[in-house]
């Protein structure tokens, strides 16, 4: 991620630490889902097995982040998390499939791609 988009704490600008962590963990899960789907499509069951194991750990991290988001003060803003997810993961097939809505328009500038 471009350093200019980070605040002094190293979090994406405008997001609380909880929002940033939740978006990052969710994108990681969707990345692994996308990779698992690609492995299945290629018939690479060894790679699929590896991605499934990775997905298990990533899902546990997402569960922790989600639990922290429930307790966060101020409340985590859903729209901010979804915007961060689409901005960070816009190239991932799972993000494109699951979040094509109004937040799906969050794309980097051509020079950033």
């Amino acid at each position: 991620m471009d350093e200019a988009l980070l605040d002094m704490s190293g979090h994406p600008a405008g997001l609380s630490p909880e929002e940033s962590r939740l978006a990052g963990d969710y994108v990681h899960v969707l990345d692994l889902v996308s990779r698992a789907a690609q492995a299945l499509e290629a018939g690479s069951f060894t790679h699929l097995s590896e991605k499934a194991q990775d997905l298990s750990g990533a899902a546990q991290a997402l569960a922790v982040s989600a639990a922290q988001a429930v307790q966060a003060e101020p409340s985590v803003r859903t729209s901010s998390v979804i915007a961060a997810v689409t901005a960070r993961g816009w190239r991932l097939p799972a993000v494109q499939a699951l979040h094509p809505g109004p937040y799906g328009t969050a794309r980097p500038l051509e020079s950033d791609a």
Side-chain angles (χ1 to χ4, degrees), residues 6-103:
L6 302 178
D7 65 17
M8 298 300 284
S9 302
H11 300 291
L15 295 180
S16 69
E18 293 82 9
E19 291 167 341
S20 177
R21 192 170 21 261
L22 183 59
D25 287 346
Y26 184 67
V27 167
H28 186 60
V29 166
L30 294 181
D31 178 39
L32 292 170
V33 167
S34 294
R35 291 172 188 262
Q38 291 168 346
L40 179 61
E41 290 287 330
S44 178
F45 300 112
T46 299
H47 190 67
L48 176 61
S49 175
E50 292 168 358
K51 292 303 122 194
Q53 290 174 8
D54 294 344
L55 185 56
S56 174
Q60 289 177 344
L62 178 59
V64 170
S65 294
Q68 291 172 346
V70 169
Q71 302 298 322
E73 289 294 332
S75 297
V76 168
R77 299 163 297 167
T78 302
S79 60
S80 295
V81 173
I82 293 173
V85 165
T86 59
R88 290 179 183 178
W90 67 274
R91 288 188 173 117
L92 301 174
V95 171
Q96 294 171 8
L98 295 172
H99 301 288
Y103 303 110

